[in-house]
Amino acid sequence: MKLGFGLYKHMLDTKHYNFAKQCGATHLVIHLVDYFGHNKDNADQPIGGQEGWGRAGNPNDIWSLEELLRIKREINDHGLELEAIENFDPAHWHDILLDGPKKELQMENLKQLIRNVGKAGIPTFGYNFSLAGVAARNQGPYARGEAVSVGMDGGDDTPIPNGMVWNMVYDENAPEGTLPKIDHGELWDRLQYFLDGILPVAEEAGVKMAAHPDDPPMPYVRNTPRLVYQPDMYQKLIDMKPSPANNLEFCLGSIAEMTEGNVYDATDSYSEQGKIGYIHFRNVKGKVPNYKEVFVDEGDIDMFKILKILKKNNFDGVLIPDHTPQMTCDAPWYAGMAYAMGYMKAALALLDRP
């Protein structure tokens, strides 16, 4: 198994590459969507309030091969490997999510994007097929020692305004109103269209598409249905389009928050099938609709037990902390991430001892 580090778009620089390397990372998972365009001072994670994260990107500007090669070269020059890109920009696929009039054009653009990713030698592309995205959470002193973290206290049924999807505004001139409510079957049909279109291209490009479970894993969030809010729903996603490119972005925290099954059985099942692309290695206390994200060593998940399951099933992919509580010091995000990385590096070392 490999120790990785996740970086947001505004962190793709020498300072953060060196920090990741200093923490013991060998691989990076990066975001190219600018969730923090309105607030780059908050380096922790986007919370997902009702107002959204800000504006989506340029709908006519998919990430080019040249751009991807430049980023990959910079990362390699700092002694790291680029394992994955996480998330499409809502500007690039809003009508695929919403079954809108531009979905065929957007599908062709996504196909070209995945071809670019493959030509750049980037193995994995993570995505979250969701209308509300990461929403309905709050922030507070939820972790050990009153460290600031995120959690959930009940759901959020506030409808999503027109022109917004996945917590970002793609059309500032959209007519007044809110997204029409659809059922789960309709959302699965939209996912089927996406998988039918993207997976053959991903196979040819040598790219694994990795699906994130719903975060938070509720049946409905902001008046919209969710896809993977119980562990067995991952199996439905895998089975609906069998392909070596159809994989999972396996978020331990989100799976532990689910109300059915357990995170150990899910880890065993999907790693045994060889369907885990990479892993968000984070811990939580509680389940939806009431849970808190906590330090990697204080939550409900026995993280070392997870590692033993992964080793048994010969998982050789990348684990990243994703995000973690912020520590009370001059560099809250950096301290929290360094703590998580230190734990993970030690745990991996112990796992390999005879």
Side-chain angles (χ1 to χ4, degrees):
M1 283 175 271
K2 307 173 185 73
L3 185 58
F5 201 95
L7 291 176
Y8 293 117
K9 181 178 181 179
H10 65 283
M11 299 175 174
L12 301 181
D13 55 30
T14 292
K15 172 183 174 181
H16 290 90
Y17 298 151
N18 286 343
F19 178 69
K21 186 78 173 177
Q22 290 160 13
C23 286
T26 57
H27 291 67
L28 291 183
V29 173
I30 68 170
H31 296 254
L32 295 181
V33 183
D34 190 4
Y35 320 112
F36 296 97
H38 61 300
N39 182 19
K40 287 184 170 61
D41 292 332
N42 179 8
D44 175 36
Q45 59 171 308
I47 302 302
Q50 294 179 359
E51 71 281 359
W53 296 335
R55 294 178 59 185
N58 186 339
N60 302 312
D61 186 18
I62 63 168
W63 305 318
S64 68
L65 175 59
E66 292 73 21
E67 179 182 8
L68 297 175
L69 285 171
R70 176 186 58 78
I71 294 170
K72 185 172 186 287
R73 184 167 55 250
E74 290 176 356
I75 289 170
N76 293 159
D77 287 347
H78 287 82
L80 298 160
E81 296 294 329
L82 177 50
E83 177 67 16
I85 297 171
E86 189 163 319
N87 295 332
F88 294 110
D89 193 308
H92 296 159
W93 74 326
H94 56 80
D95 270 9
I96 294 173
L97 295 171
L98 297 170
D99 192 30
K102 297 179 181 178
K103 71 175 185 179
E104 292 185 7
L105 172 63
Q106 291 182 351
M107 179 59 75
E108 293 306 309
N109 286 340
L110 291 194
K111 290 177 182 178
Q112 185 57 52
L113 173 56
I114 295 303
R115 293 187 190 103
N116 294 346
V117 170
K119 289 178 181 176
I122 303 168
T124 309
F125 198 103
Y127 70 95
N128 186 338
F129 200 96
S130 171
L131 305 187
V134 181
R137 304 182 305 163
N138 52 37
Q139 191 174 51
Y142 300 143
R144 184 175 56 226
E146 298 187 345
V148 173
S149 185
V150 300
M152 185 180 189
D153 290 305
D156 182 358
D157 297 327
T158 308
I160 299 172
N162 288 333
M164 177 187 287
V165 74
W166 215 82
N167 259 311
M168 300 188 80
V169 176
Y170 67 87
D171 183 1
E172 293 179 302
N173 299 312
E176 291 188 12
T178 58
L179 296 186
K181 189 168 184 177
I182 62 169
D183 60 21
H184 289 92
E186 170 65 21
L187 191 60
W188 281 99
D189 288 345
R190 296 179 188 181
L191 175 67
Q192 184 76 66
Y193 171 81
F194 170 72
L195 294 178
D196 288 346
I198 207 70
L199 289 178
V201 174
E203 282 187 43
E204 185 176 347
V207 176
K208 292 182 178 181
M209 302 301 299
H212 195 290
D214 286 304
D215 183 6
M218 296 279 289
Y220 285 89
V221 170
R222 296 202 66 179
N223 208 38
T224 63
R226 312 285 263 181
L227 286 175
V228 181
Y229 58 89
Q230 301 294 3
D232 61 341
M233 294 173 178
Y234 250 157
Q235 192 66 51
K236 179 178 178 180
L237 186 151
I238 292 170
D239 293 343
M240 70 192 299
K241 184 69 175 178
S243 166
N246 191 8
N247 293 271
L248 311 177
E249 182 186 331
F250 203 73
C251 180
L252 294 171
S254 296
I255 294 166
E257 294 157 15
M258 296 175 181
T259 57
E260 296 177 4
N262 72 73
V263 68
Y264 309 109
D265 289 344
T267 302
D268 190 28
S269 174
Y270 296 119
S271 62
E272 186 176 38
Q273 294 178 59
K275 281 298 180 181
I276 297 179
Y278 62 96
I279 295 176
H280 284 177
F281 198 82
R282 62 179 181 86
N283 214 333
V284 298
K285 286 184 178 179
K287 294 182 177 292
V288 294
N290 302 102
Y291 72 87
K292 302 290 184 288
E293 294 187 13
V294 295
F295 287 109
V296 66
D297 61 331
E298 69 161 323
D300 295 338
I301 308 172
D302 182 338
M303 303 303 272
F304 201 74
K305 182 176 180 178
I306 294 289
L307 291 176
K308 289 192 285 187
I309 293 169
L310 293 171
K311 182 177 182 179
K312 172 180 72 75
N313 291 333
N314 299 310
F315 175 74
D316 193 34
V318 172
L319 301 90
I320 69 169
D322 186 29
H323 41 77
T324 188
Q326 301 180 71
M327 302 187 86
T328 306
C329 61
D330 291 338
W333 180 85
Y334 296 95
M337 293 297 283
Y339 181 89
M341 292 289 286
Y343 176 95
M344 293 168 69
K345 189 170 180 61
L348 288 172
L350 286 172
L351 188 71
D352 290 335
R353 283 191 175 182

